[in-house]
Amino acid sequence: MIMIALVGEQPMPVLLPLWQWDEITAVQLFATQTTMSVADSLANFIKKEQFPQKIEVYKTILVEAYDLYDVTEKIKEAISAFPGEKVLINLTSGTKIMSLGAAMAAEGRGNAKLLYVNTQDSRMLTYKLNEPDVGIEEICVNITVAQYLGAHGFLVTPNQNPEATTAPVRQPRAGDWLEDKLYTQCQESGFFDDVQLNRFIHKPIDDTLIPNEIDVMVTKNGNLGVCSCKTGGLNTKMLNELSTLASRISTGIYCKKFLVTSNDKPSDDFCNRAKKEFIQIIDGNNLDNAAEIISKAFDKKKRES
């Protein structure tokens, strides 16, 4: 199966189907001038990633974001290049005009299906034009922290020096016990696909690696959780640091932020500020249930009856 995918700012809608379905053996990306750098990063990641199946990556096609005719004709041409092959058109990302063009290109082509990655309900939805049935499949993928961050162009290492292979030797810190407690609890819970403690993330910027250390990170079903552990007093600077760091890793609903504190009752002002930054606080009264709280934050939203 060939997947034709529209490229937006987020890589996960393109990558989730590749982890989900091993029958996808080739990918062709359609990007605009604005998202071409994302497409380049995606193409490089797909080529290097160890998927269960071998995936061929075809040359990215440049389209005009708001030119319906341009998008439709170029996707029609791409579909025609794969006679006899099943084609899956992933229209989750890109502009609305691009999605419309992708749907129009599929009309009358019996080998083409449309895909929408519905992350709100954690489902893959597939359609055929002029047919009422909708294919619904739960998203079920198992990826590591390194894979998630690698998809976003980051390197994950145990050391501030990216060339070092071991964790640095450092002096004990006051908050070590809280980090260790959260890490052990998440590891032993079985809720997560991967759990990492005290990892540095690096992003190439002007040929320089800028490292940031994160206390605890977890992945669950294609989502990332970033946890900052704090003992003692709390201040808004802690929230700003966590929010800024998480926004560098990923914007949107694929990355969730948690501030874990030994403080039994953070102030109302602090909690309100955290809520505005979409940071969930786990306070001292809930430390023993921290892993469960984090896990539930990733559970899909139930549809209204």
Side-chain angles (χ1 to χ4, degrees):
M1 182 186 295
I2 314 299
M3 184 175 76
I4 289 172
L6 306 180
V7 177
E9 296 297 331
Q10 290 295 310
M12 296 310 287
V14 175
L15 294 172
L16 285 172
L18 303 183
W19 281 308
Q20 180 94 359
W21 294 316
D22 59 12
E23 58 263 45
I24 299 175
T25 57
V27 175
Q28 186 158 44
L29 305 175
F30 283 71
T32 66
Q33 288 286 3
T34 302
T35 61
M36 186 57 75
S37 61
V38 180
D40 289 342
S41 178
L42 268 169
N44 289 332
F45 178 80
I46 294 169
K47 291 174 184 176
K48 294 177 182 178
E49 171 65 6
Q50 295 296 313
F51 292 98
Q53 72 278 29
K54 187 178 187 307
I55 298 179
E56 186 172 0
V57 181
Y58 295 108
K59 181 180 178 181
T60 299
I61 304 298
L62 179 66
V63 294
E64 295 295 329
Y66 301 101
D67 188 329
L68 183 62
Y69 178 82
D70 179 65
V71 175
T72 304
E73 291 304 307
K74 286 179 177 176
I75 294 182
K76 279 184 180 179
E77 185 178 350
I79 296 172
S80 299
F82 305 114
E85 294 277 358
K86 292 181 179 179
V87 177
L88 186 66
I89 304 177
N90 186 345
L91 44 71
T92 313
S93 303
T95 65
K96 289 181 173 63
I97 295 298
M98 290 168 66
S99 296
L100 178 59
M104 291 172 62
E107 188 170 11
R109 285 161 171 77
N111 64 329
K113 279 188 175 182
L114 303 174
L115 166 67
Y116 184 81
V117 181
N118 178 2
T119 50
Q120 180 172 335
D121 291 323
S122 192
R123 292 174 173 177
M124 302 280 193
L125 307 177
T126 53
Y127 307 85
K128 290 208 74 170
L129 287 183
N130 303 317
E131 293 188 11
D133 294 337
V134 179
I136 301 175
E137 187 172 319
E138 300 289 336
I139 295 176
C140 186
V141 300
N142 184 331
I143 64 172
T144 66
V145 168
Q147 285 176 306
Y148 180 97
L149 290 171
H152 292 78
F154 287 87
L155 177 67
V156 183
T157 68
N159 199 299
Q160 189 170 3
N161 176 2
E163 297 180 0
T165 57
T166 59
V169 177
R170 67 184 188 190
Q171 295 298 317
R173 300 180 298 187
D176 285 351
W177 70 268
L178 183 56
E179 296 172 12
D180 292 339
K181 179 182 178 68
L182 179 63
Y183 172 74
T184 300
Q185 187 182 143
C186 289
Q187 276 276 49
E188 294 179 350
S189 70
F191 294 146
F192 305 103
D193 300 323
D194 188 28
V195 184
Q196 295 291 326
L197 172 68
N198 298 141
R199 286 296 182 261
F200 290 88
I201 63 169
H202 312 262
K203 180 75 169 182
I205 301 175
D206 297 329
D207 299 322
T208 303
L209 290 173
I210 309 299
N212 289 98
E213 185 178 15
I214 301 180
D215 297 334
V216 177
M217 290 185 287
V218 301
T219 50
K220 181 178 180 180
N221 206 22
N223 295 276
L224 177 74
V226 177
C227 307
S228 177
C229 299
K230 300 295 182 184
T231 57
L234 300 173
N235 56 66
T236 55
K237 181 181 177 182
M238 297 173 180
L239 298 175
N240 294 337
E241 290 173 349
L242 178 57
S243 183
T244 300
L245 179 57
S247 66
R248 287 187 63 227
I249 299 170
S250 170
T251 57
I253 62 176
Y254 298 98
C255 179
K256 295 189 180 297
K257 301 167 284 189
F258 304 89
L259 190 140
V260 183
T261 173
S262 58
N263 191 315
D264 288 343
K265 189 170 177 56
S267 70
D268 290 342
D269 287 344
F270 186 84
C271 293
N272 290 335
R273 176 64 183 272
K275 188 174 182 179
K276 289 181 180 178
E277 297 289 343
F278 300 100
I279 296 172
Q280 186 167 346
I281 294 176
I282 301 174
D283 62 29
N285 293 313
N286 294 294
L287 287 183
D288 289 339
N289 300 314
E292 183 178 2
I293 292 170
I294 294 169
S295 177
K296 284 184 176 179
F298 293 120
D299 290 344
K300 68 180 183 181
K301 296 179 181 178
K302 302 297 182 182
R303 292 188 175 191
E304 295 181 1
S305 303

